[in-house]
């Protein structure tokens, strides 16, 4: 403002001391050119056209779904979050154990292992030796007769693997029932064999189950499709297996099941309902639930009945797992078979009484809350879960004493 006042003051002074004909033409078309010629006499380079960085208002960056937690205070359950931290801590142990178990003589050249960061579960760009040294009671590095370095299991770990094999054999009939129930929940009563294999650790299914199912021709049939994909199909429907965990629990504690889910009904304020009346209205809208063993493909996709079916199916799916929990990639892999939608995450968030979503928005895990105690410990542990916990304890040991479970850290 000061600059333009100075300009007009100076131009007025010039105009008063000069003849009009020398500065301003009477021709209106020449007014603009004369105005710009006067402006050239003044510089505007000193004007601040941008706000300095230190005075700019800092915008809060939107947190990435990779790091943004699903839960916020005060809803965070540290026990469930710590279980995911344990998964991360033992990722290398779990993946390397699975990979080495499938190798001949349970050994692998060290040079080859360094290139398998994805298969073995160690960070890309890091040396695999550092991860191996974290579990000296499980893995060992030795020099072979050919002069090359190899990795393998310790003798102690080989004994643990034999123990795990016995657990697998003892639990085989239970695992067969799990696969049958998964097929009975599926839309067409068939699932790709590869999908069950990829998620076998979730249900405690042995690695060689594709060979074991040949013994159960009365239950399963393996079909090879035109593209070479192997699909396992249900041979016979068993009504005794088509009973969900919720239905069994309903017979024991009816009130508990009634409070498990909430599908609120929208109503106008004109009804003037108190809290008790509103709860009864919502209960009428919530019950009855839809069995996960019914045909969900016949339900209209966005109806309440369809959402009840999907919620009940996720509940039954989790109840079949070893630890009553599953990651997003475990659930998404069966999306087509179980008629799930892309809104599964939002659907589960609306049922906080039954489900707890832990982890980040991009890699979350869902827990069945009733399957855990207040201390975050699983109430009923499968023999395979007990073995895994034992393995984790030994994996963090520095020295294993064969005579007892006492160890040094």
């Amino acid at each position: 403002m000061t600059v333009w006042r100075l300009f007009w003051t100076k131009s007025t002074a010039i105009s008063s001391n000069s003849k009009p004909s020398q500065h301003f033409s009477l021709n209106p078309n020449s007014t603009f050119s004369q105005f710009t010629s006067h402006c050239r006499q003044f510089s505007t380079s000193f004007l601040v056209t941008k706000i300095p960085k230190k005075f700019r208002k800092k915008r809060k960056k939107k947190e990435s779904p990779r790091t943004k937690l699903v839960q916020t205070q005060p809803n965070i359950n540290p026990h469930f979050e710590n279980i995911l931290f344990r998964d991360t801590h033992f990722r290398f142990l779990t993946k390397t154990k699975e990979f080495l178990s499938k190798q001949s003589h349970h050994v692998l050249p060290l040079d080859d292992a360094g290139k398998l960061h994805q298969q073995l579960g160690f960070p890309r760009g890091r040396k695999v030796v550092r991860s191996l040294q974290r579990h000296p009671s499980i893995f060992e590095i030795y020099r072979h007769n050919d002069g090359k370095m190899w990795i393998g299991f310790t003798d102690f770990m080989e004994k643990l693997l034999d123990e795990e094999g016995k657990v697998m054999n003892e639990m085989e009939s239970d695992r067969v029932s799990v696969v049958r129930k998964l097929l009975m929940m599926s839309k067409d009563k068939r699932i790709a064999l590869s999908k069950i294999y990829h998620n076998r650790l979730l249900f405690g299914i042995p690695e060689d189950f594709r060979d074991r199912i040949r013994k159960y021709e009365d239950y399963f049939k393996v079909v090879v499709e035109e593209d070479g994909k192997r699909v396992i199909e249900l041979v016979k429907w068993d009504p005794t297996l088509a009973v969900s965990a919720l239905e069994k629990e309903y017979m024991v504690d009816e009130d508990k099941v009634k409070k498990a889910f909430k599908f609120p009904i929208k109503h106008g304020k004109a009804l003037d309902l108190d809290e008790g009346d509103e709860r009864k209205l919502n209960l009428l809208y919530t019950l009855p639930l839809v069995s996960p063993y019914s045909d969900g493909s016949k339900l209209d996709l966005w109806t309440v009945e369809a959402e009840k079916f999907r919620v009940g199916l996720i509940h039954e799916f989790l109840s079949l797992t070893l630890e009553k929990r599953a990651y997003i990639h475990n659930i998404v892999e069966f999306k087509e078979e179980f008629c799930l939608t892309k809104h599964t995450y939002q659907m589960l968030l609306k049922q906080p009484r039954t489900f707890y979503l832990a982890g980040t928005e991009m890699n979350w895990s869902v827990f069945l809350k009733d399957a855990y105690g207040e201390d975050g410990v699983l109430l009923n542990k499968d023999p395979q879960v007990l073995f895994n916990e034992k393995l984790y304890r030994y994996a963090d040991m520095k020295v294993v004493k064969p005579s007892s479970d006492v160890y040094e850290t």
Side-chain angles (χ1 to χ4, degrees):
M1 195 68 184
T2 306
V3 175
W4 294 111
R5 189 181 294 114
L6 179 62
F7 166 75
W8 287 111
T9 304
K10 187 171 181 179
S11 61
T12 305
I14 294 173
S15 301
S16 60
N17 298 327
S18 305
K19 294 181 180 180
S21 59
Q22 294 178 348
H23 297 279
F24 293 94
S25 173
L26 296 177
N27 185 2
N29 296 329
S30 64
T31 304
F32 180 75
S33 61
Q34 292 177 1
F35 173 76
T36 53
S37 65
H38 283 288
C39 288
R40 294 193 190 100
Q41 301 176 22
F42 303 95
S43 173
T44 59
S45 60
F46 63 89
L47 293 178
V48 179
T49 56
K50 289 185 179 180
I51 301 175
K53 281 189 176 180
K54 61 180 180 179
F55 295 119
R56 292 180 195 171
K57 187 177 180 180
K58 294 183 179 179
R59 294 182 180 178
K60 188 176 181 180
K61 292 184 178 179
K62 189 177 181 180
E63 194 170 358
S64 170
R66 291 178 178 273
T67 58
K68 186 177 180 181
L69 296 178
V70 175
Q71 303 292 344
T72 56
Q73 292 292 359
N75 299 322
I76 291 180
N77 187 321
H79 301 299
F80 291 146
E81 302 292 344
N82 287 336
I83 292 176
L84 300 192
F85 177 78
R86 185 197 68 185
D87 291 347
T88 303
H89 179 70
F90 290 113
R91 179 184 293 120
F92 175 79
L93 169 69
T94 304
K95 300 193 76 170
T96 304
K97 168 180 168 288
E98 287 298 310
F99 191 86
L100 272 182
S101 298
K102 293 182 286 186
Q103 304 302 311
S104 177
H105 304 293
H106 297 171
V107 294
L108 183 69
L110 183 61
D111 291 340
D112 293 346
K115 303 173 185 177
L116 301 174
H117 64 90
Q118 189 172 4
Q119 291 84 347
L120 301 184
F122 64 93
R124 184 174 185 177
R126 301 284 184 88
K127 292 185 177 180
V128 66
V129 175
R130 295 181 59 183
S131 298
L132 291 168
Q133 291 173 343
R134 286 168 46 200
H135 311 295
S137 61
I138 306 298
F139 306 110
E140 65 178 357
I141 305 174
Y142 64 95
R143 188 177 296 277
H144 198 261
N145 295 334
D146 57 6
K148 295 182 179 180
M149 302 299 294
W150 290 62
I151 65 171
F153 293 126
T154 61
D155 293 338
F156 176 76
M157 181 58 185
E158 292 287 355
K159 294 179 181 178
L160 288 179
L161 290 177
D162 293 339
E163 182 181 338
E164 184 181 26
K166 294 178 182 179
V167 173
M168 293 284 188
N169 293 332
E170 293 173 359
M171 302 301 296
E172 182 172 321
S173 60
D174 290 347
R175 307 309 184 224
V176 170
S177 297
V178 168
V179 176
R180 292 175 69 190
K181 289 172 79 72
L182 289 174
L183 289 171
M184 291 169 67
M185 286 193 295
S186 63
K187 180 177 59 175
D188 299 319
K189 310 302 177 278
R190 63 200 309 265
I191 300 176
L193 209 55
S194 59
K195 293 187 177 183
I196 297 179
Y197 179 79
H198 293 158
N199 296 277
R200 67 188 185 281
L201 298 181
L202 191 68
F203 305 101
I205 298 174
E207 197 275 335
D208 60 343
F209 90 99
R210 289 175 290 190
D211 298 325
R212 298 193 185 204
I213 57 177
R214 296 173 183 172
K215 299 185 297 183
Y216 302 95
E217 296 180 352
D218 295 338
Y219 300 150
F220 311 117
K221 179 175 67 174
V222 178
V223 178
V224 181
E225 297 186 338
E226 295 180 355
D227 57 357
K229 183 171 66 174
R230 300 172 67 192
V231 178
I232 182 172
E233 295 182 349
L234 184 70
V235 173
K236 184 179 179 181
W237 180 273
D238 189 347
T240 60
L241 289 178
V243 181
S244 66
L246 274 176
E247 291 176 286
K248 294 178 182 178
E249 192 174 357
Y250 186 83
M251 302 299 294
V252 178
D253 193 344
E254 181 178 337
D255 292 334
K256 183 179 179 181
V257 176
K258 286 181 178 180
K259 298 176 182 178
F261 302 109
K262 185 179 180 181
F263 297 92
I265 184 173
K266 295 181 180 180
H267 58 82
K269 293 182 179 180
L271 291 177
D272 193 23
L273 299 176
D274 58 20
E275 186 177 350
D277 293 335
E278 186 175 351
R279 189 184 305 112
K280 292 179 181 179
L281 182 63
N282 289 335
L283 186 60
L284 290 173
Y285 198 57
T286 299
L287 297 177
L289 298 174
V290 180
S291 172
Y293 295 99
S294 58
D295 191 354
S297 62
K298 295 181 179 179
L299 300 173
D300 291 337
L301 194 60
W302 304 115
T303 60
V304 177
E305 294 299 313
E307 186 171 349
K308 289 180 182 180
F309 166 78
R310 291 191 291 267
V311 167
L313 189 143
I314 295 292
H315 186 283
E316 184 69 3
F317 179 85
L318 296 177
S319 69
L320 297 177
T321 62
L322 292 179
E323 298 187 31
K324 316 307 176 190
R325 65 186 180 96
Y327 280 93
I328 174 178
H329 57 81
N330 300 127
I331 297 174
V332 169
E333 191 146 12
F334 297 97
K335 178 181 176 182
E336 296 179 1
E337 289 81 359
F338 294 158
C339 303
L340 299 176
T341 69
K342 63 180 180 180
H343 301 292
T344 301
Y345 171 77
Q346 289 80 6
M347 179 187 72
L348 296 177
L349 280 178
K350 293 190 294 184
Q351 307 296 339
R353 297 177 181 178
T354 301
F355 304 118
Y356 178 89
L357 272 67
T360 62
E361 291 183 351
M362 183 168 286
N363 187 29
W364 49 267
S365 179
V366 57
F367 290 76
L368 272 183
K369 294 173 71 173
D370 289 341
Y372 290 80
E374 294 182 358
D375 56 355
V377 177
L378 198 61
L379 297 178
N380 299 313
K381 295 184 179 181
D382 185 273
Q384 182 65 46
V385 174
L386 294 174
F387 173 83
N388 291 342
E389 291 179 349
K390 181 180 179 180
L391 176 63
Y392 295 154
R393 290 197 301 270
Y394 284 130
D396 278 342
M397 297 179 188
K398 298 303 180 185
V399 178
V400 178
K401 294 184 179 181
S403 58
S404 67
D405 288 340
V406 180
Y407 59 89
E408 300 175 10
T409 56

